[in-house]
């Protein structure tokens, strides 16, 4: 395992950070959090055309740049740091990854170039009323009629499901769990935005009523691909959580330097020093877990990736929540106000903590994958 970043990866970080510094300011985050769509289409297109973020890890033959997962992890770390309001996680970590994992070359050729170009916002509709991410929780049904496949049922907690141009839907057929593509204009498709704690990341309830859909890959063979997708998404979410935690720590340290009490900066008090030091330890441990998962992904070791993904998600979720909470404590009274950005990071941390399953769920996965 290479524990250092290349010059190209360091430069990628600089480019992405510079872009987000200009286009994902605190004012932008607050404005888009209050917007029903939750993102700026102009910035979304510029992300694709100027720095190629949507197609970064998409192979070149599908219109992408063909970079690796470590490179993609660098991007997610920076988007987490900036609290980017855009359907980037849903489109790249969930939808594009699902297409890359499913056994359907024609679908990849049709759909991935649209994602890489920024033309298509996509998402994965997997969870239902139970909120669980396992195979047994998939109840939405698909049946084959003379005119093609039709879906009936409900998906909920679907990231950016209210605005996605393309939904990849996990449904149950007589042969097992299968994967389907549904376009936004499909008849029988109803999408309702859901109220969320984290307003920077939108979710929706999606209802299918005899909705026409395109089968992706062999019928009944989708779960293996979905399981690999969820492992990849867990690692990328961990990288995003590290970026958010770093931003929270930076804010706490900066405030501790300038806020004075009893004639001296509060950062000179032992209690504040210890809290900031503990935050740094949490972040460095989380960073190691996330980076380990990214390198496992690039190495192509599926068994190691499955273990690293569960470990990273279990640890990074709790680390981000702790650091975001401690940032509020360092800021004191002002940290609890709506005007201060500290609450934005805490809300993102709490929503991310359950986004792909709770830390306890991932610890159970880790134990199962280790055989203990």
């Amino acid at each position: 395992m290479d524990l250092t970043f290349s010059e190209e990866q360091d430069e990628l970080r600089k480019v992405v950070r510079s872009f987000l510094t200009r286009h994902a300011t605190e004012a932008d985050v607050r404005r888009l959090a209050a917007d029903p769509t939750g993102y700026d289409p102009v910035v979304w297109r510029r992300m694709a055309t100027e720095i190629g973020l949507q197609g970064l890890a998409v192979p070149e033959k599908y219109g992408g740049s063909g970079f690796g997962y470590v490179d993609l992890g660098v991007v997610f770390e920076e988007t987490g740091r900036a609290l980017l309001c855009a359907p980037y996680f849903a489109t790249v970590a969930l939808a594009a990854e699902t297409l890359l994992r499913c056994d359907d070359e024609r679908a990849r050729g049709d759909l991935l170039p649209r994602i890489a170009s920024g033309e298509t916002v996509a998402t994965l509709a997997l969870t239902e009323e139970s909120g669980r991410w396992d195979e047994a929780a998939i109840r939405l049904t698909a049946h084959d009629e003379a005119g093609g496949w039709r879906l009936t049922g409900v998906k909920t907690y679907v990231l950016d499901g209210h605005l996605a141009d393309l939904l990849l839907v996990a449904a149950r057929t007589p042969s097992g769990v299968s994967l389907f593509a549904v376009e936004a204009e499909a008849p029988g498709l109803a999408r309702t935005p859901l109220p969320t704690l984290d307003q920077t990341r939108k979710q929706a309830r999606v209802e299918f009523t005899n909705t026409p859909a395109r089968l992706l890959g062999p019928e009944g063979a989708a779960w293996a691909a979905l399981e690999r997708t969820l492992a990849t998404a867990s690692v990328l979410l961990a990288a995003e959580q590290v970026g958010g935690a770093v931003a929270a720590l930076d804010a706490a340290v900066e405030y501790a330097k300038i806020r004075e009490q009893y004639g001296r900066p509060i950062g000179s008090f032992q209690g504040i020093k210890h809290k900031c030091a503990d935050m740094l330890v949490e972040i460095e441990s989380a960073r190691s877990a996330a980076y380990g998962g990214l390198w496992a992904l690039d190495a192509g070791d599926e068994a190691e990736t499955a273990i690293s993904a569960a470990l990273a998600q279990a640890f990074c979720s709790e680390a981000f929540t702790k650091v975001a909470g401690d940032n509020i404590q360092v800021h004191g009274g002002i940290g609890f106000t709506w005007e201060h950005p500290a609450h934005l990071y805490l809300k993102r941390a709490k929503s991310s903590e359950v986004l792909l399953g709770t830390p306890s769920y991932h610890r159970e996965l880790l134990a199962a994958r280790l055989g203990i």
Side-chain angles (χ1 to χ4, degrees):
M1 180 185 294
D2 185 357
L3 297 177
T4 60
F5 289 104
S6 66
E7 290 183 11
E8 290 79 7
Q9 288 162 345
D10 288 336
E11 186 61 30
L12 173 64
R13 186 185 298 276
K14 291 178 183 178
V15 170
V16 175
R17 184 173 297 185
S18 175
F19 182 90
L20 295 176
T21 298
R22 288 178 282 120
H23 300 294
T25 64
E26 181 188 338
D28 293 324
V29 171
R30 290 181 180 274
R31 172 175 58 85
L32 294 172
D35 189 307
T37 62
Y39 84 116
D40 186 332
V42 174
V43 173
W44 180 255
R45 287 193 295 271
R46 294 184 67 177
M47 286 170 61
T49 57
E50 293 182 11
I51 50 180
L53 294 189
Q54 286 90 323
L56 188 72
V58 173
E60 293 182 33
K61 65 178 179 178
Y62 303 126
S65 302
F67 281 67
Y69 287 103
V70 172
D71 306 283
L72 194 56
V74 168
V75 175
F76 273 101
E77 192 173 346
E78 291 304 312
T79 61
R81 184 176 181 272
L83 288 185
L84 174 68
C85 288
Y88 189 69
F89 188 86
T91 299
V92 175
L94 293 176
E97 185 63 25
T98 299
L99 289 170
L100 288 169
R101 299 290 184 176
C102 79
D103 184 15
D104 194 325
E105 180 63 25
R106 183 179 176 184
R108 284 194 287 271
D110 291 344
L111 302 175
L112 282 173
R114 291 165 47 188
I115 290 176
S117 67
E119 173 189 349
T120 294
V121 172
T123 191
L124 174 64
L126 191 148
T127 52
E128 301 183 12
E129 296 295 349
S130 68
R132 289 161 47 199
W133 290 86
D134 55 70
E135 183 179 8
I138 298 174
R139 298 299 182 194
L140 183 142
T141 59
H143 57 280
D144 191 6
E145 294 184 351
W149 287 93
R150 302 276 176 165
L151 305 182
T152 300
V154 175
K155 294 291 184 180
T156 191
Y157 316 116
V158 180
L159 281 186
D160 301 302
H162 64 301
L163 60 90
D165 306 301
L166 172 68
L167 293 95
L168 303 182
V169 186
R172 195 165 290 278
T173 68
S175 300
V177 174
S178 303
L179 184 67
F180 297 88
V182 177
E183 299 289 343
E185 65 274 9
L189 180 66
R191 305 187 285 180
T192 306
L194 295 174
T196 56
L197 170 68
D198 177 18
Q199 296 170 306
T200 68
R201 180 166 268 160
K202 308 298 185 182
Q203 297 182 15
R205 174 185 173 90
V206 183
E207 298 182 47
F208 303 85
T209 306
N210 205 36
T211 305
R214 171 184 176 181
L215 177 66
L216 304 181
E219 181 192 348
W223 182 249
L226 289 169
E227 197 169 32
R228 291 193 293 271
T229 295
L230 293 177
T232 302
S234 292
V235 174
L236 295 174
L237 180 60
E240 182 189 278
Q241 289 166 324
V242 169
V246 169
L249 173 60
D250 288 347
V253 170
E254 182 61 28
Y255 186 74
K257 290 178 180 178
I258 62 174
R259 175 71 168 96
E260 292 191 0
Q261 192 70 32
Y262 305 113
R264 51 192 284 200
I266 63 172
S268 65
F269 295 114
Q270 190 176 54
I272 298 297
K273 289 180 181 178
H274 285 180
K275 187 170 289 293
C276 290
D278 289 344
M279 293 164 72
L280 179 61
V281 170
E282 288 285 336
I283 289 172
E284 290 304 312
S285 298
R287 198 194 305 270
S288 296
Y291 288 1
L294 292 170
W295 275 299
L297 282 168
D298 266 351
D301 188 333
E302 291 193 9
E304 183 61 31
T305 295
I307 293 171
S308 298
L311 172 64
Q313 200 41 229
F315 191 90
C316 294
S317 290
E318 293 181 338
F320 186 15
T321 297
K322 182 181 186 308
V323 171
D326 285 348
N327 177 39
I328 292 177
Q329 294 297 318
V330 170
H331 279 82
I334 194 174
F336 289 87
T337 64
W338 183 262
E339 291 76 17
H340 197 277
H343 71 94
L344 299 174
Y345 285 90
L346 182 61
K347 289 175 180 177
R348 173 64 71 88
K350 294 301 293 184
S351 71
S352 298
E353 190 174 356
V354 299
L355 181 60
L356 298 178
T358 63
S360 61
Y361 168 74
H362 285 281
R363 280 192 285 269
E364 290 176 6
L365 284 181
L366 179 60
R369 290 166 181 174
L370 290 173
I372 56 176

